Amino acid sequence: MSKNLRITNSKFIDQTSRISFKFDGKTLYGFKGDTLASALLANDIHLVGRSFKYHRPRGIMTCGSEEPNAIVQLGNDPSMTEPNTRATEIELYEGLEATSQNCWPSVNFDIGAINNFFSPFIPAAFYYKTFMWPASFWEKYEYFIRKSAGLGKSPTKPDRDIYDHRYLHCDVLIIGGGISGIIAAKTAAQNNLNTVLLEDKNNLGGTTIFQNNECFKINNSYSNEWLSKEIVSLNSLKNLTIKTRTTLAAYHSYNYLLARENLTDHLSLNEKKDKIRQRLWKIRAKKVIIATGAMERPLIFNNNDRPGIILSSSIKKYIDYYGVKCGQKISLFTNNDTAYETAISLSKSGVNVNSVIDIRDKSNSSIVKEAEKLGIKIHWKHTVVNTNGYKKIKSIELMKLSDDGTNVVGNKLNEECDCLGISGGWTPRVHLFTQSGGKLKFRDKDNVFLPTKSKSEQISIGSCNGDFELDDVIKNSNNLIKEFLNINSSDYENLEINCSREIDKKNIWLLPSDKPLGKTKPFLDFQNDSTAKDVKLALREGFKSIEHVKRYTTTGMGTDQGKLSNMHALGIIAETAEVKMGELGTTTFRPPYTPLTFGTIVGRNVGKFFDITRKTPIHDWHVEKKAEFENVGQWKRAWYYPKENETMHQAVQRESKAARDSAGILDASTLGKIDIQGTDSSEFLNRVYTNDWSKLEIGKCRYGLMLNEDGMVYDDGVTTRLGENHYLMTTTTGGAANVLSKMEDYLQTEWPELDVYFTSVTDHYGTVSICGPNSKKILSKVIPDLDLSDENFPHMSFKNAMIGKIRCRVMRISFTGEQSYEINVQSGYAKSLWEKCFDAGKEFNITPYGTETMHLLRAEKGFIIAGQDTDGTITPVDLQMDWIISKKKYDFVGKRSLYRTDTIREDRKQLVGLLTDDPNEVLEEGAQIVEDANKKPVEMLGHVTSSYFSPNLNKSIALAVVKSGKKLNGKKMIVPMKNKTIGVTITETVFLDKKNKRLNA
Amino acid sequence: MKNKYSIFSLIKNAFSYHENWQRAWRDPEPKKEYDAIIVGGGGHGLATAFYLAKKHNMTNIAVVEKGWIGGGNTGRNTTIIRSNYLWDASAGLYDHALKIWEKLSQELNYNVMFSQRGVMNLAHNLQDVRDLKRRTHANRLNGIDAVWLNTEEVKKFCPIINTSQDIRYPVLGGTLQRRAGTARHDAVAWGYARGADAMGVDIIQNCEVKGIKRNGNSVEGIETTKGFIKTKKIGVVAAGHSSVIANMVDLKLPLESKPLQALVSEPVKPIIDTVVMSNAVHAYVSQSDKGELVIGAGTDPYVSYTQRGSHDVVEGTLKAILELYPIFSRMKMLRQWGGIVDICPDASPIISKTNIKGLYFNCGWGTGGFKATPGSGDLFAHTIANDEPHKLNADFNINRFVSGDLVDEHGAAAVAH
Amino acid sequence: MFLINCPYCGERDQSEFSSGGEAHIVRPKQPKELSDDQWAEFLFMRKNIKGVQFERWNHAHGCRKWFNMARDTSNDKIHAVYKMGEKPPIK
């Protein structure tokens, strides 16, 4: 039966609002203001989870983000469940359900705990040394390894929550709302600086806000009372924004920071609904003040991992802040003064403190004297050599330390306890400082790594900067802030501060035991079950560097990223390898500071907002006509328009036939359109296209091919000369943006002397393309005033025209080989133009066709699609398009590359046509072409780039690139498929209307 | 002679509390002279040394590493191994490596945890489909086990992928190479180091190359932070820092070094049992034996040696992950990091002699070098020992950038991996 | 994520810009006169400097102007930004 360990002295817990929650299926109660951890402890529940490797019982060890053990699965809705959440950070809410992780069938009885029995055989990195026989069995071993690894469970259904991003710019960003952060915030805001203060907890004040010990006073008030007043005074500051429940996640260069604000995680299940769960703040700060405080260190001794072993400062927080007793017979084990604050708090709250075990010989500080005054027993120069109790600590064994601290002497004492507080000193939270690129220095007297002066606009203040005494924190922070912000004076000069100062220091990274090290289990990384023995094993095997040891032993690689374990790992390495700590360096602290939800990082860019969708102005018409769409880059293009019960093949055959027999209509709005103006426009085109543009008459159109500087085909399209110094270039749909930026690049960087201007007009115009033998008749109905005679308006020419009051540009150009007109109007008119053309074409059975039919029709004519028939390795010569390479021009982009030893080879892959022996057999695009299927190794001569069944030729046709293809016309080849081989013959690339009669038919 | 690793050695050592394990490799001071020096103690460099000793009897050699072995891209990559490349030259190279991977744990007596859980490449538009089918056909004819899967088969092979056709870029199918998979990156470096050391190779850590000494057009040795070391053959396997070494002898390489970022989630129980990559929805994911989702995508688009990239890239990568796996929205990023990758214009590596006698370069692996580690080491060792390339790496010479005979693998290598 | 001081627009987030690689590699005026080696030098060979590198950037999602930048690639510190055609303001 669980006990109630709640006392009634906490002002941070609202004991009038009871909250019910479930842990491992059992209904329990806590109060508003509790964390899951404090509520569990109040219910006398210590056993919360099982460790990663040995499945040892583990309990709550801390009260914050460094918690390695008490991590739980939150919620059980398959959409909303969250693995690996820290009980110490979850604010209790009505309806919370949490379960233990990494145990089966239950945390109380876990089959996996058998691993603990095998632990002698599975030291660090054992898996590299075994599971190699038989060779084929690794994956079978691995199956079981994977099953037993992992901690919580991933959700299995999509998240229903929404996440958000916001940008924030400020003069001063302060990270951490403890005493030094509050001093910084007030000082900055009072000096007209736009200031933002972030605090990851639900309220400000850090550890000082519950410091009620009379050894710590400011201006004759208890330090908690003094700070409460300071916090109240922040409310009146206009320049100050305070964000609580907001954790700084990453500190990038140029003072770019990411912070996660928790908006609903603390709300009841009902209140959470339809609200933004978390928001990612993207912050640019002119100046950053890091005030992230320090973490208490554990001590490393035999069996230091049992439930009920808790950091001493956390025990203090549980009693003073949450009003929860972590036990009723508490022992404390320390190497510094911190534990005495805890002892005093416990004692004053009526909790029985068995004793304080202190590895030091003595301590003369006022706080220790205060403890002694209260009658607290102290074992000086003693260490804990073992702990007992399986699912919760029951007793400890202690012995006297030898003078040099490497051994224990004398008799073993036994002390019964239900909780052991441990304190190994303090570690400044320098993670953000190092993330920002800062280098650390080591301070020997208390074994801490501290920030050096940063190169960017930032400072660290308070205990994250190595000030652990109250008067140092206030005085040094105040001075640093003033200097950093160029301020002469603040509210924090000449305060009267009383505090206990720690005078006596002693540190032993790995505490000795009466047993040989090999028989003990001194845990370093509690979550990953790595021990001091493992670190020593790694060193013995030659893993010297701290990164090697970390990787070999997995120390510091758990969900807490080694917040608790790193310092001791370094200490033990330094000691064993006989290197100085400062010279050893540290592992890199990588972002994020605490794990960051994917959803938060992505924000609203999910689902339909994953990427923008570009739609043509005629899009709605295609939707109405039930077109299927194809994604081309960000564009949605109508792919084909199936009539009832039609397959794609049937639809495409029908569309293709109609376009050739009478008339087809295509939405060509997605083609890239670049408006080119300036006196050097023609010269510019000459330089970027392979062919000659100097003689193109006004009103005429020309096809152009663009190469990369390496000579390979890059893009193509028709460009029209609208005026003396005015062209309209079209590009492929996918290539538009790249072509424009490439042209800007050449213009601005290589040829700035040219007078040319480019404007992207892709979205400004809608383009309707009508093709087929009846296209002229239809167009004459739409634009009766336009003389469409071949004399006045021949193929490859352009006219301005009016449809009513609407100006339009009409190009007579063709990608299908049919007589064809492209009409460009301002986007807003495109749909009505389309409908007008469609109505006018009805009597000719005008048929809307999509991209698939367009591809088929152009393939019949042997026109290439850049990016489909070319792949970045094809030159215009390879395409058999030598005619498009101007002989007159000295240079154009890519020309020189066409004359390299490899590009002039005759046996390059060249574009050819293919006909299948069986005219009904349609080749698969991408299929390979060989001459001799039996030759080994198979010599692949090329591949099929485009392939269709042509309804107009009533046979299968294909384009391909084939080695020496130019010379192979008529040659038989084989396309070897998985289950069969297909015979083909190489042909010319033009299958239909070789004389181009249809263009003027 | 090194102790053999096995379940029996583990049990035996348990009785002496694991206090009698030998060093995995020595920690020697450099000798005055070696027959060859490998610059760079990553997987490729250590493998090169291993095969020089094992197959070419060159045991008086050293590997010099400016930091700690395996600390560069070997220890930073996402460990994907596959050989489904388009061109014959690449297929030959990467499948050579894959075949070595299949027996590597036994060859090294070190479990590199090569796990053939398959690699799937997804197609999201019609050109993706064409390109991937083309690659699959080429792979099949080159004897590489890649197959095309339609959308239903994709879903069946990896049920957590969102194959709904209503998403922005629906999955239209994909290719699967079953022999492909992942391995434990650190183990590869350590296993090769241990193996090379056992044959007498000196592995010298914390030894940075500061200069290359030449006599006429031949190399004579290297200047290092541990002094001058004489040698007639230098094999540079310095990945992102290849150009730094090349600049010491005024050699320009067709390389740009860019940050490549990766991240892992917190560990969870098995949820994805293969490797899935996507070009159009730009990201890839697998799950480590430890349970972490291992995620990556492309490089940052600028030169940098900082081993850090911009947050945009991470955000874009996770955006793609959530598009394909909306169930991962509540998973949490645990750790994010960057490496520096050296990229060739054709997305293929250089394993080549140079015009300086005795100077060899193995570089340009870009975002996908890990998969080639054993093959790269083997072929580079051959090139150094014989002063001429093996037929499998002949096409990967530096001169291809002059002749234009590139091995363009942008399609096959478009996603960082 | 750097902040780049576009010479035309002022300080903007890096995400608005695209990198164009090493600067001051002038496109040869007479490519025909070059050997394949010399052309390859222009086309592909790069110094890829670790340290201060002169490089081209484009304010792609802004004014679309190309400009030059001197940036230390070993720590991403930007030392100078200058317009196309101008000489680097630092060595």
Side-chain angles (χ1 to χ4, degrees), chain C residues 16-72:
Chain C
E16 293 184 14
F17 298 83
S18 64
S19 168
E22 214 166 306
H24 307 298
I25 300 172
V26 180
R27 188 173 186 276
K29 291 271 180 284
Q30 296 189 301
K32 257 192 189 170
E33 317 307 317
L34 300 182
S35 68
D36 281 2
D37 275 305
Q38 289 168 318
W39 180 246
E41 183 87 6
F42 159 72
L43 213 48
F44 295 126
M45 302 304 168
R46 298 293 176 262
K47 285 190 208 142
N48 195 27
I49 286 170
K50 183 182 187 181
V52 176
Q53 162 162 294
F54 300 101
E55 52 192 17
R56 299 153 5 97
W57 284 76
N58 181 14
H59 195 181
H61 300 285
C63 63
R64 259 169 47 193
K65 281 285 191 188
W66 283 88
F67 57 92
N68 292 319
M69 192 153 107
R71 182 176 57 98
D72 190 332

Side-chain angles (χ1 to χ4, degrees), chain A residues 252-254 256 284 709-710 740-741 744-746 748-751 758-759 890-897 899-901, chain C residues 1-3 13-14 25-36 39 42-44 56 64-66 76-78 84:
Chain A
H252 295 288
S253 55
Y254 290 76
Y256 181 75
R284 277 279 183 201
E709 203 66 274
D710 67 359
L740 178 64
S741 80
E744 284 284 7
D745 187 355
Y746 276 103
Q748 292 180 35
T749 66
E750 298 292 348
W751 312 315
F758 310 122
T759 311
Y890 175 80
D891 192 17
F892 54 81
V893 172
K895 181 169 187 179
R896 175 62 185 82
S897 290
Y899 302 95
R900 293 176 295 168
T901 50
Chain C
M1 297 258 282
F2 348 128
L3 269 181
D13 197 283
Q14 178 203 329
I25 300 172
V26 180
R27 188 173 186 276
K29 291 271 180 284
Q30 296 189 301
K32 257 192 189 170
E33 317 307 317
L34 300 182
S35 68
D36 281 2
W39 180 246
F42 159 72
L43 213 48
F44 295 126
R56 299 153 5 97
R64 259 169 47 193
K65 281 285 191 188
W66 283 88
D76 286 343
K77 189 170 185 292
I78 297 168
M84 278 295 157

Side-chain angles (χ1 to χ4, degrees), chain A residues 49-58 102 526-527 529:
Chain A
R50 293 275 176 161
S51 66
F52 197 86
K53 187 170 165 190
Y54 303 134
H55 290 246
R56 283 170 68 104
R58 291 282 165 78
N102 207 36
F526 295 85
Q527 191 180 102
D529 279 339

Side-chain angles (χ1 to χ4, degrees), chain B residues 241 243 257 303-305 312, chain C residues 14-15 48 50 71 73 76:
Chain B
H241 281 77
S243 298
S257 294
V303 170
S304 180
Y305 287 85
D312 289 5
Chain C
Q14 178 203 329
S15 55
N48 195 27
K50 183 182 187 181
R71 182 176 57 98
T73 61
D76 286 343

